[in-house]
Amino acid sequence: MEDLLAARLQMAVSLGFHIIFACIGIAMPFLMAIAEYKWIRTGEQVYQDLAKAWSKGVAIFFATGAVSGTVLSFELGLLWPTFMEHAGPIFGMPFSWEGTAFFVEAIALGLFLYGWDKLRPWVHWGTGIVVGLSGVASGIFVVAANAWMNSPAGFDWVNGQAINIDPVAAMFNDAWFSQALHMTIAAFVATGFAAAGLHALLLLKDRNNLFHRKAMKIALAVGAIAAIVQPLSGDYSAKDVAERQPAKLAAMEGHFKTSQPAPLIIGGIPDEEAEEVHYAIEIPNMLSFLAHGDFNAEVIGLDQFPRDEWPPVLITHIAFQIMVGAGFVMMAVGMVYLYLYWKRREVLFQRWFLWIVGLCMPLGFIAVEAGWTVTEVGRQPWIIYGIMKTKDAVSSMPGLQYPFYLFTALYLLLTAILIWLMRRQIITLSERYESASAN
């Protein structure tokens, strides 16, 4: 295996696992805060039990996220030393702020976990809100650093060196807001549907289980609202990419030839040699509108870029289609849920709807993984867009495939332990409420 491929695969595996832990760390604290809020207002014990169960999940994912995030920070320096030599002084600020948010989150989580009988209810609830807000802030700061790689700012590049460095301008680059907004909402979609799907599947065994009923309703409400809002942020992000990274947009859409107007391509398999997409559905003029808000606008195709600067079109296009398809499925399910909750609540726990929600459990994280594939693969061959190519940043150390194998094994082991811990937590409370419903 070539060192460049090994380094890229190691980063892909590390990021692929970490993004799941990070998304849950962003959204799950708000689920536990909603549950505690309902306990304070109603006094129903099930809500306190739910808040405690979800808080233990937050603690587990916080620990695993800390481990995987630390690994990623080391990998940046060890696998991409040339990149860090130039980029470190420029985009180091969001990482330092992320560290601050991480410490605030850790302190607030400690107060939440151990303060149930020591803090006043509303004060305790407030610590849960701080956990959630600091988790969101932490995610935004990391995404700002990634956005800088897609939209470099805050420096002048002269003779292969960065001068006139402005870290604030680098952090608040042109891409940070659209990426941070889209990623934050995606975290709520993915976590909401994952939690709701898990409790829905458990309800199939015992539809009278009060614990799972309350949990599914809270999680699905959060996921549904986020899924309905997400296409708006997606449209904003797509228009932003069309302006800043037209080659990425062309790869996402399988748009090989510049055209005015441009059709939207749905599905299909891109053929880079023939420069066409096979088996696709085309909607005339729609890409022009989605990219530029004008049905007759020109959309730049891959023919405007040197062939060696094309992103991998097949991977980028398919990943984009998966992300959009999964997003629209969850949006549809979310709309159905909100309608049923408003008009026909008795249907919410029928087997057919529980199966639908259960099958949606992995969709959010599939969409997140596909979206990050679009972001990272669609930027290639650049590690700093338009400035430095990925092949020029990789470490010269040989044998990079061995740490790739090692870290992949470690992540699989970490995931197995995490699943075991979460399963034990859920089964314990599930059995308690099974007994209660039987009585």
Side-chain angles (χ1 to χ4, degrees), residues 86 90 148 152-167 169-170 384 387:
H86 297 285
I90 305 172
W148 177 85
F155 67 99
D156 295 319
W157 191 254
V158 179
N159 297 326
Q161 296 293 326
I163 62 173
N164 301 324
I165 294 173
D166 183 350
I384 307 176
I387 300 291

mmCIF file of all heavy atoms in Angstrom, residues 86 90 148 152-167 169-170 384 387:
data_model
loop_
_atom_site.group_PDB
_atom_site.id
_atom_site.type_symbol
_atom_site.label_atom_id
_atom_site.label_comp_id
_atom_site.label_asym_id
_atom_site.label_seq_id
_atom_site.Cartn_x
_atom_site.Cartn_y
_atom_site.Cartn_z
ATOM 1 N N HIS A 86 3.009 24.685 7.806
ATOM 2 C CA HIS A 86 2.503 25.954 7.268
ATOM 3 C C HIS A 86 1.153 26.339 7.870
ATOM 4 O O HIS A 86 0.890 27.517 8.107
ATOM 5 C CB HIS A 86 2.366 25.852 5.741
ATOM 6 C CG HIS A 86 3.663 25.640 5.029
ATOM 7 N ND1 HIS A 86 4.590 26.641 4.856
ATOM 8 C CD2 HIS A 86 4.202 24.528 4.456
ATOM 9 C CE1 HIS A 86 5.642 26.170 4.201
ATOM 10 N NE2 HIS A 86 5.429 24.884 3.951
ATOM 11 N N ILE A 90 -1.587 29.284 11.385
ATOM 12 C CA ILE A 90 -2.694 30.030 10.795
ATOM 13 C C ILE A 90 -4.028 29.625 11.409
ATOM 14 O O ILE A 90 -4.822 30.460 11.840
ATOM 15 C CB ILE A 90 -2.748 29.819 9.264
ATOM 16 C CG1 ILE A 90 -1.396 30.176 8.628
ATOM 17 C CG2 ILE A 90 -3.862 30.649 8.642
ATOM 18 C CD1 ILE A 90 -1.304 29.816 7.163
ATOM 19 N N TRP A 148 -11.427 26.164 6.929
ATOM 20 C CA TRP A 148 -10.269 26.907 6.443
ATOM 21 C C TRP A 148 -9.529 26.124 5.362
ATOM 22 O O TRP A 148 -9.011 26.723 4.406
ATOM 23 C CB TRP A 148 -9.320 27.199 7.609
ATOM 24 C CG TRP A 148 -8.072 27.903 7.173
ATOM 25 C CD1 TRP A 148 -7.902 29.244 6.996
ATOM 26 C CD2 TRP A 148 -6.817 27.298 6.842
ATOM 27 N NE1 TRP A 148 -6.626 29.515 6.580
ATOM 28 C CE2 TRP A 148 -5.934 28.337 6.475
ATOM 29 C CE3 TRP A 148 -6.354 25.986 6.823
ATOM 30 C CZ2 TRP A 148 -4.616 28.094 6.092
ATOM 31 C CZ3 TRP A 148 -5.041 25.740 6.436
ATOM 32 C CH2 TRP A 148 -4.188 26.795 6.081
ATOM 33 N N PRO A 152 -9.209 28.776 2.347
ATOM 34 C CA PRO A 152 -8.088 29.366 3.089
ATOM 35 C C PRO A 152 -8.139 30.885 3.100
ATOM 36 O O PRO A 152 -8.407 31.528 2.083
ATOM 37 C CB PRO A 152 -6.853 28.842 2.346
ATOM 38 C CG PRO A 152 -7.338 28.377 1.016
ATOM 39 C CD PRO A 152 -8.753 27.966 1.200
ATOM 40 N N ALA A 153 -7.887 31.452 4.286
ATOM 41 C CA ALA A 153 -7.925 32.907 4.460
ATOM 42 C C ALA A 153 -6.994 33.269 5.603
ATOM 43 O O ALA A 153 -6.498 32.413 6.332
ATOM 44 C CB ALA A 153 -9.353 33.365 4.761
ATOM 45 N N GLY A 154 -6.741 34.561 5.755
ATOM 46 C CA GLY A 154 -5.955 35.033 6.881
ATOM 47 C C GLY A 154 -4.449 34.972 6.685
ATOM 48 O O GLY A 154 -3.712 34.946 7.679
ATOM 49 N N PHE A 155 -3.969 34.968 5.457
ATOM 50 C CA PHE A 155 -2.530 34.943 5.190
ATOM 51 C C PHE A 155 -2.292 35.293 3.722
ATOM 52 O O PHE A 155 -3.215 35.268 2.902
ATOM 53 C CB PHE A 155 -1.942 33.555 5.497
ATOM 54 C CG PHE A 155 -2.433 32.477 4.566
ATOM 55 C CD1 PHE A 155 -1.671 32.050 3.482
ATOM 56 C CD2 PHE A 155 -3.669 31.875 4.778
ATOM 57 C CE1 PHE A 155 -2.129 31.064 2.628
ATOM 58 C CE2 PHE A 155 -4.137 30.883 3.927
ATOM 59 C CZ PHE A 155 -3.360 30.479 2.849
ATOM 60 N N ASP A 156 -1.066 35.588 3.418
ATOM 61 C CA ASP A 156 -0.618 35.744 2.033
ATOM 62 C C ASP A 156 0.388 34.632 1.740
ATOM 63 O O ASP A 156 1.282 34.369 2.549
ATOM 64 C CB ASP A 156 0.030 37.113 1.814
ATOM 65 C CG ASP A 156 -0.959 38.254 1.980
ATOM 66 O OD1 ASP A 156 -2.106 38.105 1.512
ATOM 67 O OD2 ASP A 156 -0.583 39.282 2.582
ATOM 68 N N TRP A 157 0.244 33.987 0.609
ATOM 69 C CA TRP A 157 1.122 32.878 0.225
ATOM 70 C C TRP A 157 2.161 33.406 -0.779
ATOM 71 O O TRP A 157 1.838 33.711 -1.906
ATOM 72 C CB TRP A 157 0.296 31.750 -0.386
ATOM 73 C CG TRP A 157 1.037 30.455 -0.581
ATOM 74 C CD1 TRP A 157 1.468 29.939 -1.763
ATOM 75 C CD2 TRP A 157 1.418 29.519 0.433
ATOM 76 N NE1 TRP A 157 2.084 28.736 -1.554
ATOM 77 C CE2 TRP A 157 2.073 28.448 -0.225
ATOM 78 C CE3 TRP A 157 1.272 29.481 1.809
ATOM 79 C CZ2 TRP A 157 2.580 27.354 0.471
ATOM 80 C CZ3 TRP A 157 1.779 28.392 2.490
ATOM 81 C CH2 TRP A 157 2.420 27.347 1.842
ATOM 82 N N VAL A 158 3.385 33.537 -0.320
ATOM 83 C CA VAL A 158 4.444 34.114 -1.146
ATOM 84 C C VAL A 158 5.642 33.171 -1.151
ATOM 85 O O VAL A 158 6.188 32.839 -0.093
ATOM 86 C CB VAL A 158 4.867 35.501 -0.613
ATOM 87 C CG1 VAL A 158 5.984 36.078 -1.477
ATOM 88 C CG2 VAL A 158 3.678 36.453 -0.572
ATOM 89 N N ASN A 159 6.017 32.725 -2.350
ATOM 90 C CA ASN A 159 7.186 31.848 -2.512
ATOM 91 C C ASN A 159 7.132 30.619 -1.606
ATOM 92 O O ASN A 159 8.118 30.225 -0.977
ATOM 93 C CB ASN A 159 8.483 32.633 -2.249
ATOM 94 C CG ASN A 159 8.690 33.759 -3.238
ATOM 95 O OD1 ASN A 159 8.327 33.643 -4.416
ATOM 96 N ND2 ASN A 159 9.231 34.874 -2.762
ATOM 97 N N GLY A 160 5.946 30.013 -1.535
ATOM 98 C CA GLY A 160 5.796 28.798 -0.760
ATOM 99 C C GLY A 160 5.768 28.999 0.742
ATOM 100 O O GLY A 160 5.901 28.027 1.502
ATOM 101 N N GLN A 161 5.566 30.238 1.214
ATOM 102 C CA GLN A 161 5.519 30.524 2.641
ATOM 103 C C GLN A 161 4.301 31.392 2.960
ATOM 104 O O GLN A 161 3.898 32.232 2.144
ATOM 105 C CB GLN A 161 6.791 31.245 3.097
ATOM 106 C CG GLN A 161 8.062 30.428 2.942
ATOM 107 C CD GLN A 161 8.113 29.233 3.866
ATOM 108 O OE1 GLN A 161 7.618 29.284 4.992
ATOM 109 N NE2 GLN A 161 8.716 28.142 3.406
ATOM 110 N N ALA A 162 3.733 31.187 4.138
ATOM 111 C CA ALA A 162 2.603 32.000 4.588
ATOM 112 C C ALA A 162 3.124 33.199 5.366
ATOM 113 O O ALA A 162 3.888 33.049 6.320
ATOM 114 C CB ALA A 162 1.670 31.173 5.466
ATOM 115 N N ILE A 163 2.722 34.389 4.952
ATOM 116 C CA ILE A 163 3.124 35.611 5.646
ATOM 117 C C ILE A 163 1.873 36.433 5.945
ATOM 118 O O ILE A 163 0.778 36.124 5.468
ATOM 119 C CB ILE A 163 4.127 36.437 4.810
ATOM 120 C CG1 ILE A 163 3.500 36.878 3.486
ATOM 121 C CG2 ILE A 163 5.407 35.634 4.548
ATOM 122 C CD1 ILE A 163 4.372 37.832 2.686
ATOM 123 N N ASN A 164 2.055 37.498 6.728
ATOM 124 C CA ASN A 164 0.940 38.379 7.097
ATOM 125 C C ASN A 164 -0.237 37.578 7.671
ATOM 126 O O ASN A 164 -1.397 37.743 7.268
ATOM 127 C CB ASN A 164 0.463 39.208 5.892
ATOM 128 C CG ASN A 164 1.569 40.065 5.314
ATOM 129 O OD1 ASN A 164 2.416 40.581 6.042
ATOM 130 N ND2 ASN A 164 1.571 40.220 3.999
ATOM 131 N N ILE A 165 0.063 36.748 8.649
ATOM 132 C CA ILE A 165 -0.941 35.832 9.187
ATOM 133 C C ILE A 165 -1.927 36.565 10.101
ATOM 134 O O ILE A 165 -1.530 37.344 10.962
ATOM 135 C CB ILE A 165 -0.248 34.693 9.966
ATOM 136 C CG1 ILE A 165 0.568 33.826 9.002
ATOM 137 C CG2 ILE A 165 -1.265 33.846 10.719
ATOM 138 C CD1 ILE A 165 1.428 32.791 9.691
ATOM 139 N N ASP A 166 -3.203 36.295 9.895
ATOM 140 C CA ASP A 166 -4.288 36.850 10.709
ATOM 141 C C ASP A 166 -5.153 35.683 11.178
ATOM 142 O O ASP A 166 -6.057 35.241 10.455
ATOM 143 C CB ASP A 166 -5.109 37.835 9.887
ATOM 144 C CG ASP A 166 -6.216 38.504 10.703
ATOM 145 O OD1 ASP A 166 -6.467 38.067 11.848
ATOM 146 O OD2 ASP A 166 -6.834 39.458 10.190
ATOM 147 N N PRO A 167 -4.921 35.146 12.390
ATOM 148 C CA PRO A 167 -5.667 33.958 12.851
ATOM 149 C C PRO A 167 -7.178 34.174 12.941
ATOM 150 O O PRO A 167 -7.940 33.229 12.734
ATOM 151 C CB PRO A 167 -5.064 33.679 14.232
ATOM 152 C CG PRO A 167 -3.725 34.338 14.216
ATOM 153 C CD PRO A 167 -3.889 35.553 13.356
ATOM 154 N N ALA A 169 -9.072 36.141 10.989
ATOM 155 C CA ALA A 169 -9.604 36.035 9.629
ATOM 156 C C ALA A 169 -9.580 34.591 9.150
ATOM 157 O O ALA A 169 -10.472 34.158 8.411
ATOM 158 C CB ALA A 169 -8.792 36.928 8.685
ATOM 159 N N ALA A 170 -8.573 33.842 9.571
ATOM 160 C CA ALA A 170 -8.493 32.428 9.188
ATOM 161 C C ALA A 170 -9.638 31.632 9.787
ATOM 162 O O ALA A 170 -10.261 30.805 9.115
ATOM 163 C CB ALA A 170 -7.150 31.842 9.621
ATOM 164 N N ILE A 384 -4.964 22.033 1.225
ATOM 165 C CA ILE A 384 -5.365 23.441 1.400
ATOM 166 C C ILE A 384 -5.809 23.903 0.027
ATOM 167 O O ILE A 384 -4.987 23.994 -0.903
ATOM 168 C CB ILE A 384 -4.215 24.330 1.915
ATOM 169 C CG1 ILE A 384 -3.591 23.762 3.184
ATOM 170 C CG2 ILE A 384 -4.724 25.743 2.175
ATOM 171 C CD1 ILE A 384 -2.381 24.544 3.673
ATOM 172 N N ILE A 387 -3.865 25.863 -2.706
ATOM 173 C CA ILE A 387 -2.553 26.259 -2.174
ATOM 174 C C ILE A 387 -1.587 25.073 -2.114
ATOM 175 O O ILE A 387 -0.467 25.133 -2.634
ATOM 176 C CB ILE A 387 -2.686 26.864 -0.760
ATOM 177 C CG1 ILE A 387 -3.589 28.102 -0.785
ATOM 178 C CG2 ILE A 387 -1.311 27.192 -0.189
ATOM 179 C CD1 ILE A 387 -3.002 29.295 -1.496
#
